[in-house]
DNA sequence: TAAAAAAATTGGACGCTGTCTAATATTGAG
DNA sequence: CTCAATATTAGACAGCGTCCAATTTTTTTA
């Protein structure tokens, strides 16, 4: 319930065992202040808006570090790019196949029943539910 | 309940408004005879096993044509490649994140309840449910 | 069947996402 | 401040998928 500032982003990073460098703070701030699902290239564009200071390598290094430390998660829904999601609570997604926009569905009251037993010798790592939607077709009169 | 042959593949293609060329028949046969989830490069390898006769461009042209005519569907689960699925009945997937293998879950008795209303002005195009699994960790004694 | 038109295939160039590497720069512990 | 550890960087590289113009195959027409 607290506004995100670069200062408290640094604290969040430290809490996840991540050294808060300039670049890492900017990348985290881009994701958390917007609370949107962004691709790596969108993040790089945002972070370098004012003046270029973060390389492509660092953007990917950082996003992968954030994933590993479970500060963010990835959403795989577009065959050509990964989206990074600052929301790590259990939740699912609407995906607008035309605009490419992702919207959260809180997992709260959503239940999935009738699942078959897991194949032997495997454990669940996660459940991804994606509702693909498209804008209502406007009917020619 | 009928075995797939190259001959009846040609009929299937025609029924979907697709001109059954040699290459298209081979690609369809690779998918339907195996009933597996294959990536484009796996399909190309299968089709060119005996002697090379199908180019990368044709593999992609053909898969995209099949998708468009709804002869197959795609499964987006791995950020680095698309899987093509000869099963077009409504169904979902187990995805083994270690081996990369996909397994079908029949949609039959699976229900999803508690979904919020769709955002205004959009219609559902499909629901993808992916259960990510990994092999049971073998405990060191 | 022969000729012409239409449709499909092809190799290779290309674009984009993401990774890697070795050099450089920053950080922070002492 | 020193210096070792950590992080960043440019740019090369790799893989997936698309595009293009030239060629080949298929279908239509006569
Ligand atoms: Mn990734
Ligand atoms: Mn595709
Ligand atoms: Zn989300
Ligand atoms: Zn399937």
């Amino acid at each position: 319930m607290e506004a995100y500032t670069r200062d408290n982003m640094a604290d969040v990073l430290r809490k996840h065992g991540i050294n808060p460098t300039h670049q890492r703070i900017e990348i985290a701030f881009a994701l958390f202040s917007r609370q949107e699902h962004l691709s790596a290239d969108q993040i790089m564009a945002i972070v370098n808006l004012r003046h270029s200071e973060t390389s492509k390598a660092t953007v990917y290094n950082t996003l992968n570090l954030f994933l590993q430390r479970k500060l963010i998660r990835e959403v795989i829904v577009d065959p050509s790019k990964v989206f990074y999601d600052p929301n790590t609570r259990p939740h699912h997604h609407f995906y607008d196949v035309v605009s490419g926009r992702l919207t959260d569905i809180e997992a709260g009251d959503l239940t999935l029943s009738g699942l078959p037993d897991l194949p032997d010798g495997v454990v669940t790592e996660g459940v991804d539910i994606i509702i693909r939607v498209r804008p209502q077709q406007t009917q020619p009169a």
Side-chain angles (χ1 to χ4, degrees), chain A:
Chain A
M1 279 317 101
E2 171 97 26
Y4 286 103
T5 65
R6 287 174 174 77
D7 269 6
N8 55 33
M9 281 318 319
D11 291 340
V12 171
L13 295 186
R14 275 186 217 97
K15 263 174 214 137
H16 283 77
I18 297 166
N19 214 321
T21 65
H22 294 313
Q23 288 88 340
R24 289 169 177 175
I25 288 170
E26 287 303 316
I27 290 169
F29 185 69
L31 278 163
F32 284 89
S33 66
R34 283 175 180 71
Q35 289 292 313
E36 278 172 16
H37 305 84
L38 300 173
S39 62
D41 65 306
Q42 289 176 314
I43 290 167
M44 181 150 133
I46 290 167
V47 158
N48 286 330
L49 253 190
R50 305 182 154 281
H51 61 110
S52 189
E53 62 163 6
T54 306
S55 70
K56 184 172 61 147
T58 296
V59 170
Y60 281 104
N61 286 348
T62 299
L63 290 170
N64 287 329
L65 177 67
F66 287 3
L67 282 175
Q68 204 184 299
R69 299 293 162 85
K70 298 191 193 303
L71 180 62
I72 63 177
R73 58 140 116 175
E74 57 183 348
V75 183
I76 295 164
V77 73
D78 178 314
S80 75
K81 58 169 69 98
V82 171
F83 286 98
Y84 297 89
D85 190 342
N87 179 356
T88 53
R89 298 189 306 277
H91 73 283
H92 305 289
H93 296 96
F94 287 119
Y95 179 58
D96 184 324
V97 297
V98 173
S99 70
R101 193 169 310 277
L102 279 167
T103 316
D104 284 348
I105 303 173
E106 288 308 319
D109 32 30
L110 188 151
T111 55
L112 192 55
S113 57
L115 264 185
D117 291 336
L118 282 185
D120 270 352
V122 305
V123 297
T124 301
E125 176 155 296
V127 177
D128 294 349
I129 301 177
I130 292 150
I131 319 281
R132 280 169 207 273
V133 301
R134 68 165 55 250
Q136 179 96 251
Q137 192 73 305
T138 312
Q139 295 299 26

